[in-house]
mmCIF file of all heavy atoms in Angstrom:
data_model
loop_
_atom_site.group_PDB
_atom_site.id
_atom_site.type_symbol
_atom_site.label_atom_id
_atom_site.label_comp_id
_atom_site.label_asym_id
_atom_site.label_seq_id
_atom_site.Cartn_x
_atom_site.Cartn_y
_atom_site.Cartn_z
ATOM 1 N N PRO A 1 0.804 -1.223 -0.003
ATOM 2 C CA PRO A 1 -0.011 0.000 -0.018
ATOM 3 C C PRO A 1 0.840 1.316 0.000
ATOM 4 O O PRO A 1 0.285 2.400 -0.255
ATOM 5 C CB PRO A 1 -0.820 -0.092 1.304
ATOM 6 C CG PRO A 1 -0.799 -1.550 1.681
ATOM 7 C CD PRO A 1 0.528 -2.057 1.207
ATOM 8 N N LEU A 2 2.152 1.168 0.291
ATOM 9 C CA LEU A 2 2.975 2.373 0.383
ATOM 10 C C LEU A 2 3.499 2.826 -0.944
ATOM 11 O O LEU A 2 4.066 3.961 -1.005
ATOM 12 C CB LEU A 2 4.159 2.075 1.337
ATOM 13 C CG LEU A 2 3.794 1.581 2.758
ATOM 14 C CD1 LEU A 2 5.044 1.284 3.542
ATOM 15 C CD2 LEU A 2 2.938 2.629 3.433
ATOM 16 N N VAL A 3 3.349 2.041 -1.995
ATOM 17 C CA VAL A 3 3.857 2.403 -3.327
ATOM 18 C C VAL A 3 2.726 2.278 -4.324
ATOM 19 O O VAL A 3 1.833 1.498 -4.150
ATOM 20 C CB VAL A 3 5.038 1.476 -3.719
ATOM 21 C CG1 VAL A 3 6.219 1.628 -2.818
ATOM 22 C CG2 VAL A 3 4.623 0.059 -3.811
ATOM 23 N N PRO A 4 2.770 3.074 -5.398
ATOM 24 C CA PRO A 4 1.720 2.993 -6.421
ATOM 25 C C PRO A 4 1.848 1.731 -7.221
ATOM 26 O O PRO A 4 2.881 1.080 -7.254
ATOM 27 C CB PRO A 4 1.980 4.236 -7.282
ATOM 28 C CG PRO A 4 3.434 4.523 -7.098
ATOM 29 C CD PRO A 4 3.765 4.148 -5.703
ATOM 30 N N GLY A 5 0.741 1.395 -7.906
ATOM 31 C CA GLY A 5 0.760 0.187 -8.753
ATOM 32 C C GLY A 5 0.091 -0.954 -8.054
ATOM 33 O O GLY A 5 0.166 -1.136 -6.843
ATOM 34 N N HIS A 6 -0.591 -1.768 -8.864
ATOM 35 C CA HIS A 6 -1.319 -2.932 -8.326
ATOM 36 C C HIS A 6 -0.390 -4.055 -7.890
ATOM 37 O O HIS A 6 0.260 -4.706 -8.748
ATOM 38 C CB HIS A 6 -2.305 -3.458 -9.391
ATOM 39 C CG HIS A 6 -3.121 -4.619 -8.938
ATOM 40 N ND1 HIS A 6 -4.093 -4.522 -8.012
ATOM 41 C CD2 HIS A 6 -3.077 -5.928 -9.352
ATOM 42 C CE1 HIS A 6 -4.658 -5.695 -7.836
ATOM 43 N NE2 HIS A 6 -4.046 -6.554 -8.594
ATOM 44 N N LEU A 7 -0.196 -4.238 -6.577
ATOM 45 C CA LEU A 7 0.669 -5.285 -5.994
ATOM 46 C C LEU A 7 2.060 -5.233 -6.625
ATOM 47 O O LEU A 7 2.643 -6.276 -6.926
ATOM 48 C CB LEU A 7 -0.001 -6.687 -6.247
ATOM 49 C CG LEU A 7 -1.332 -6.920 -5.586
ATOM 50 C CD1 LEU A 7 -1.852 -8.310 -5.991
ATOM 51 C CD2 LEU A 7 -1.205 -6.808 -4.060
ATOM 52 N N ARG A 8 2.598 -4.063 -6.729
ATOM 53 C CA ARG A 8 3.904 -3.875 -7.363
ATOM 54 C C ARG A 8 5.010 -4.608 -6.583
ATOM 55 O O ARG A 8 5.833 -5.339 -7.130
ATOM 56 C CB ARG A 8 4.250 -2.420 -7.532
ATOM 57 C CG ARG A 8 5.613 -2.155 -8.152
ATOM 58 C CD ARG A 8 5.896 -0.684 -8.362
ATOM 59 N NE ARG A 8 5.028 -0.171 -9.440
ATOM 60 C CZ ARG A 8 5.064 1.095 -9.838
ATOM 61 N NH1 ARG A 8 5.905 1.962 -9.248
ATOM 62 N NH2 ARG A 8 4.319 1.478 -10.819
ATOM 63 N N VAL A 9 5.059 -4.352 -5.265
ATOM 64 C CA VAL A 9 6.138 -4.958 -4.439
ATOM 65 C C VAL A 9 5.994 -6.480 -4.388
ATOM 66 O O VAL A 9 6.966 -7.212 -4.610
ATOM 67 C CB VAL A 9 6.111 -4.389 -3.012
ATOM 68 C CG1 VAL A 9 7.184 -5.041 -2.148
ATOM 69 C CG2 VAL A 9 6.349 -2.861 -3.072
ATOM 70 N N PRO A 10 4.795 -7.070 -4.147
ATOM 71 C CA PRO A 10 4.705 -8.548 -4.171
ATOM 72 C C PRO A 10 5.071 -9.139 -5.493
ATOM 73 O O PRO A 10 5.687 -10.201 -5.537
ATOM 74 C CB PRO A 10 3.211 -8.794 -3.823
ATOM 75 C CG PRO A 10 2.793 -7.629 -3.075
ATOM 76 C CD PRO A 10 3.533 -6.467 -3.620
ATOM 77 N N ARG A 11 4.713 -8.524 -6.586
ATOM 78 C CA ARG A 11 5.076 -9.040 -7.876
ATOM 79 C C ARG A 11 6.623 -9.057 -8.052
ATOM 80 O O ARG A 11 7.151 -10.047 -8.554
ATOM 81 C CB ARG A 11 4.486 -8.151 -9.029
ATOM 82 C CG ARG A 11 2.988 -8.302 -9.195
ATOM 83 C CD ARG A 11 2.595 -7.566 -10.451
ATOM 84 N NE ARG A 11 1.135 -7.449 -10.596
ATOM 85 C CZ ARG A 11 0.500 -7.349 -11.745
ATOM 86 N NH1 ARG A 11 1.222 -7.369 -12.869
ATOM 87 N NH2 ARG A 11 -0.767 -7.215 -11.797
ATOM 88 N N LEU A 12 7.262 -7.966 -7.660
ATOM 89 C CA LEU A 12 8.686 -7.923 -7.828
ATOM 90 C C LEU A 12 9.389 -8.939 -6.943
ATOM 91 O O LEU A 12 10.340 -9.629 -7.384
ATOM 92 C CB LEU A 12 9.190 -6.497 -7.492
ATOM 93 C CG LEU A 12 10.658 -6.211 -7.859
ATOM 94 C CD1 LEU A 12 10.856 -6.342 -9.364
ATOM 95 C CD2 LEU A 12 11.045 -4.802 -7.406
ATOM 96 N N VAL A 13 8.944 -9.083 -5.715
ATOM 97 C CA VAL A 13 9.500 -10.111 -4.828
ATOM 98 C C VAL A 13 9.292 -11.473 -5.360
ATOM 99 O O VAL A 13 10.212 -12.333 -5.352
ATOM 100 C CB VAL A 13 8.918 -9.936 -3.394
ATOM 101 C CG1 VAL A 13 9.323 -11.129 -2.524
ATOM 102 C CG2 VAL A 13 9.386 -8.629 -2.753
ATOM 103 N N PHE A 14 8.070 -11.752 -5.821
ATOM 104 C CA PHE A 14 7.754 -13.044 -6.385
ATOM 105 C C PHE A 14 8.662 -13.377 -7.582
ATOM 106 O O PHE A 14 9.218 -14.477 -7.678
ATOM 107 C CB PHE A 14 6.276 -13.062 -6.825
ATOM 108 C CG PHE A 14 5.881 -14.350 -7.528
ATOM 109 C CD1 PHE A 14 5.632 -15.496 -6.822
ATOM 110 C CD2 PHE A 14 5.740 -14.367 -8.904
ATOM 111 C CE1 PHE A 14 5.278 -16.672 -7.451
ATOM 112 C CE2 PHE A 14 5.378 -15.542 -9.572
ATOM 113 C CZ PHE A 14 5.137 -16.710 -8.866
ATOM 114 N N LEU A 15 8.850 -12.429 -8.467
ATOM 115 C CA LEU A 15 9.691 -12.651 -9.640
ATOM 116 C C LEU A 15 11.134 -12.907 -9.268
ATOM 117 O O LEU A 15 11.800 -13.784 -9.821
ATOM 118 C CB LEU A 15 9.566 -11.474 -10.640
ATOM 119 C CG LEU A 15 8.345 -11.407 -11.472
ATOM 120 C CD1 LEU A 15 8.377 -10.143 -12.340
ATOM 121 C CD2 LEU A 15 8.239 -12.636 -12.404
ATOM 122 N N ALA A 16 11.621 -12.130 -8.323
ATOM 123 C CA ALA A 16 13.022 -12.312 -7.875
ATOM 124 C C ALA A 16 13.252 -13.679 -7.286
ATOM 125 O O ALA A 16 14.211 -14.357 -7.604
ATOM 126 C CB ALA A 16 13.407 -11.231 -6.877
ATOM 127 N N VAL A 17 12.314 -14.110 -6.390
ATOM 128 C CA VAL A 17 12.431 -15.420 -5.765
ATOM 129 C C VAL A 17 12.306 -16.502 -6.825
ATOM 130 O O VAL A 17 13.092 -17.476 -6.850
ATOM 131 C CB VAL A 17 11.361 -15.599 -4.645
ATOM 132 C CG1 VAL A 17 11.392 -17.043 -4.156
ATOM 133 C CG2 VAL A 17 11.642 -14.626 -3.523
ATOM 134 N N VAL A 18 11.342 -16.375 -7.716
ATOM 135 C CA VAL A 18 11.147 -17.376 -8.773
ATOM 136 C C VAL A 18 12.369 -17.503 -9.630
ATOM 137 O O VAL A 18 12.803 -18.628 -9.951
ATOM 138 C CB VAL A 18 9.916 -16.986 -9.647
ATOM 139 C CG1 VAL A 18 9.977 -17.690 -10.999
ATOM 140 C CG2 VAL A 18 8.649 -17.347 -8.943
ATOM 141 N N TYR A 19 12.982 -16.406 -9.978
ATOM 142 C CA TYR A 19 14.175 -16.471 -10.870
ATOM 143 C C TYR A 19 15.347 -17.196 -10.194
ATOM 144 O O TYR A 19 16.045 -18.028 -10.814
ATOM 145 C CB TYR A 19 14.592 -15.094 -11.365
ATOM 146 C CG TYR A 19 15.655 -15.211 -12.448
ATOM 147 C CD1 TYR A 19 15.267 -15.451 -13.761
ATOM 148 C CD2 TYR A 19 16.980 -15.086 -12.151
ATOM 149 C CE1 TYR A 19 16.187 -15.561 -14.781
ATOM 150 C CE2 TYR A 19 17.921 -15.249 -13.190
ATOM 151 C CZ TYR A 19 17.549 -15.487 -14.474
ATOM 152 O OH TYR A 19 18.463 -15.604 -15.462
ATOM 153 N N VAL A 20 15.565 -16.869 -8.929
ATOM 154 C CA VAL A 20 16.679 -17.541 -8.228
ATOM 155 C C VAL A 20 16.409 -19.021 -8.056
ATOM 156 O O VAL A 20 17.303 -19.874 -8.313
ATOM 157 C CB VAL A 20 16.841 -16.899 -6.815
ATOM 158 C CG1 VAL A 20 17.889 -17.677 -5.998
ATOM 159 C CG2 VAL A 20 17.325 -15.456 -6.949
ATOM 160 N N VAL A 21 15.162 -19.403 -7.720
ATOM 161 C CA VAL A 21 14.815 -20.813 -7.597
ATOM 162 C C VAL A 21 14.907 -21.510 -8.950
ATOM 163 O O VAL A 21 15.357 -22.625 -9.078
ATOM 164 C CB VAL A 21 13.397 -20.964 -7.014
ATOM 165 C CG1 VAL A 21 12.961 -22.443 -7.005
ATOM 166 C CG2 VAL A 21 13.389 -20.465 -5.572
ATOM 167 N N TRP A 22 14.437 -20.836 -9.984
ATOM 168 C CA TRP A 22 14.496 -21.380 -11.359
ATOM 169 C C TRP A 22 15.960 -21.613 -11.778
ATOM 170 O O TRP A 22 16.311 -22.682 -12.267
ATOM 171 C CB TRP A 22 13.849 -20.375 -12.305
ATOM 172 C CG TRP A 22 13.924 -20.738 -13.766
ATOM 173 C CD1 TRP A 22 13.069 -21.514 -14.470
ATOM 174 C CD2 TRP A 22 14.937 -20.293 -14.708
ATOM 175 N NE1 TRP A 22 13.488 -21.604 -15.797
ATOM 176 C CE2 TRP A 22 14.609 -20.875 -15.974
ATOM 177 C CE3 TRP A 22 16.061 -19.485 -14.590
ATOM 178 C CZ2 TRP A 22 15.388 -20.651 -17.103
ATOM 179 C CZ3 TRP A 22 16.795 -19.302 -15.738
ATOM 180 C CH2 TRP A 22 16.478 -19.846 -16.980
ATOM 181 N N ASP A 23 16.831 -20.635 -11.461
ATOM 182 C CA ASP A 23 18.238 -20.815 -11.791
ATOM 183 C C ASP A 23 18.832 -21.995 -11.045
ATOM 184 O O ASP A 23 19.616 -22.785 -11.628
ATOM 185 C CB ASP A 23 18.971 -19.509 -11.410
ATOM 186 C CG ASP A 23 20.014 -19.115 -12.444
ATOM 187 O OD1 ASP A 23 19.686 -18.788 -13.562
ATOM 188 O OD2 ASP A 23 21.232 -19.162 -12.104
ATOM 189 N N ALA A 24 18.539 -22.091 -9.724
ATOM 190 C CA ALA A 24 19.060 -23.206 -8.984
ATOM 191 C C ALA A 24 18.536 -24.545 -9.418
ATOM 192 O O ALA A 24 19.287 -25.533 -9.519
ATOM 193 C CB ALA A 24 18.692 -22.970 -7.475
ATOM 194 N N ALA A 25 17.281 -24.646 -9.753
ATOM 195 C CA ALA A 25 16.701 -25.906 -10.260
ATOM 196 C C ALA A 25 17.373 -26.292 -11.600
ATOM 197 O O ALA A 25 17.668 -27.480 -11.844
ATOM 198 C CB ALA A 25 15.223 -25.761 -10.445
ATOM 199 N N ALA A 26 17.619 -25.343 -12.458
ATOM 200 C CA ALA A 26 18.275 -25.583 -13.707
ATOM 201 C C ALA A 26 19.720 -26.107 -13.447
ATOM 202 O O ALA A 26 20.188 -27.050 -14.135
ATOM 203 C CB ALA A 26 18.331 -24.331 -14.579
ATOM 204 N N LEU A 27 20.422 -25.526 -12.481
ATOM 205 C CA LEU A 27 21.737 -26.006 -12.163
ATOM 206 C C LEU A 27 21.737 -27.435 -11.662
ATOM 207 O O LEU A 27 22.629 -28.246 -12.021
ATOM 208 C CB LEU A 27 22.397 -25.081 -11.112
ATOM 209 C CG LEU A 27 22.822 -23.679 -11.641
ATOM 210 C CD1 LEU A 27 23.154 -22.778 -10.454
ATOM 211 C CD2 LEU A 27 24.000 -23.835 -12.582
ATOM 212 N N VAL A 28 20.754 -27.759 -10.865
ATOM 213 C CA VAL A 28 20.683 -29.154 -10.356
ATOM 214 C C VAL A 28 20.423 -30.098 -11.515
ATOM 215 O O VAL A 28 21.038 -31.187 -11.589
ATOM 216 C CB VAL A 28 19.599 -29.270 -9.270
ATOM 217 C CG1 VAL A 28 19.353 -30.710 -8.894
ATOM 218 C CG2 VAL A 28 19.916 -28.447 -8.044
ATOM 219 N N ALA A 29 19.474 -29.721 -12.425
ATOM 220 C CA ALA A 29 19.204 -30.596 -13.552
ATOM 221 C C ALA A 29 20.409 -30.726 -14.492
ATOM 222 O O ALA A 29 20.690 -31.810 -15.001
ATOM 223 C CB ALA A 29 18.027 -30.000 -14.357
ATOM 224 N N LEU A 30 21.148 -29.625 -14.665
ATOM 225 C CA LEU A 30 22.363 -29.711 -15.523
ATOM 226 C C LEU A 30 23.435 -30.570 -14.855
ATOM 227 O O LEU A 30 24.171 -31.287 -15.572
ATOM 228 C CB LEU A 30 22.864 -28.264 -15.750
ATOM 229 C CG LEU A 30 22.010 -27.429 -16.669
ATOM 230 C CD1 LEU A 30 22.444 -25.944 -16.592
ATOM 231 C CD2 LEU A 30 22.151 -27.892 -18.130
ATOM 232 N N ALA A 31 23.544 -30.508 -13.514
ATOM 233 C CA ALA A 31 24.466 -31.390 -12.828
ATOM 234 C C ALA A 31 24.095 -32.852 -13.005
ATOM 235 O O ALA A 31 24.934 -33.692 -13.220
ATOM 236 C CB ALA A 31 24.502 -31.021 -11.332
ATOM 237 N N ALA A 32 22.774 -33.168 -13.002
ATOM 238 C CA ALA A 32 22.328 -34.497 -13.229
ATOM 239 C C ALA A 32 22.678 -34.996 -14.609
ATOM 240 O O ALA A 32 23.102 -36.162 -14.807
ATOM 241 C CB ALA A 32 20.830 -34.624 -12.943
ATOM 242 N N LEU A 33 22.528 -34.138 -15.599
ATOM 243 C CA LEU A 33 22.892 -34.468 -16.992
ATOM 244 C C LEU A 33 24.400 -34.716 -17.120
ATOM 245 O O LEU A 33 24.853 -35.620 -17.834
ATOM 246 C CB LEU A 33 22.453 -33.384 -17.972
ATOM 247 C CG LEU A 33 21.014 -33.360 -18.372
ATOM 248 C CD1 LEU A 33 20.742 -32.194 -19.326
ATOM 249 C CD2 LEU A 33 20.611 -34.674 -19.070
ATOM 250 N N TRP A 34 25.155 -33.938 -16.391
ATOM 251 C CA TRP A 34 26.635 -34.093 -16.418
ATOM 252 C C TRP A 34 27.036 -35.462 -15.863
ATOM 253 O O TRP A 34 27.841 -36.163 -16.447
ATOM 254 C CB TRP A 34 27.278 -32.985 -15.628
ATOM 255 C CG TRP A 34 28.794 -33.004 -15.672
ATOM 256 C CD1 TRP A 34 29.603 -32.569 -16.679
ATOM 257 C CD2 TRP A 34 29.650 -33.472 -14.643
ATOM 258 N NE1 TRP A 34 30.911 -32.766 -16.316
ATOM 259 C CE2 TRP A 34 30.945 -33.299 -15.084
ATOM 260 C CE3 TRP A 34 29.429 -34.031 -13.370
ATOM 261 C CZ2 TRP A 34 32.066 -33.688 -14.340
ATOM 262 C CZ3 TRP A 34 30.511 -34.388 -12.610
ATOM 263 C CH2 TRP A 34 31.833 -34.211 -13.086
ATOM 264 N N VAL A 35 26.405 -35.850 -14.750
ATOM 265 C CA VAL A 35 26.677 -37.166 -14.167
ATOM 266 C C VAL A 35 26.244 -38.275 -15.105
ATOM 267 O O VAL A 35 26.958 -39.250 -15.330
ATOM 268 C CB VAL A 35 25.997 -37.282 -12.791
ATOM 269 C CG1 VAL A 35 26.118 -38.711 -12.239
ATOM 270 C CG2 VAL A 35 26.562 -36.298 -11.797
ATOM 271 N N ALA A 36 25.040 -38.133 -15.671
ATOM 272 C CA ALA A 36 24.473 -39.150 -16.578
ATOM 273 C C ALA A 36 25.326 -39.281 -17.838
ATOM 274 O O ALA A 36 25.375 -40.405 -18.431
ATOM 275 C CB ALA A 36 23.045 -38.836 -16.956
ATOM 276 N N SER A 37 26.046 -38.274 -18.230
ATOM 277 C CA SER A 37 26.889 -38.324 -19.425
ATOM 278 C C SER A 37 28.263 -38.929 -19.146
ATOM 279 O O SER A 37 29.106 -38.930 -20.036
ATOM 280 C CB SER A 37 27.070 -36.939 -20.047
ATOM 281 O OG SER A 37 27.893 -36.131 -19.166
#
């Protein structure tokens, strides 16, 4: 409520967390492919 825009802060926090988790999950999957190869 302290900043303009519809849920601007939650959206930004959500995207930041999602991207870090996405990056980490991709790294785990890439590590699994490396072991499998």
Side-chain angles (χ1 to χ4, degrees):
L2 304 178
V3 297
H6 180 70
L7 297 177
R8 178 177 291 181
V9 177
R11 287 190 191 207
L12 190 61
V13 170
F14 175 77
L15 281 178
V17 173
V18 160
Y19 190 81
V20 173
V21 173
W22 177 87
D23 219 66
L27 286 169
V28 172
L30 289 167
L33 280 178
W34 183 79
V35 172
S37 70

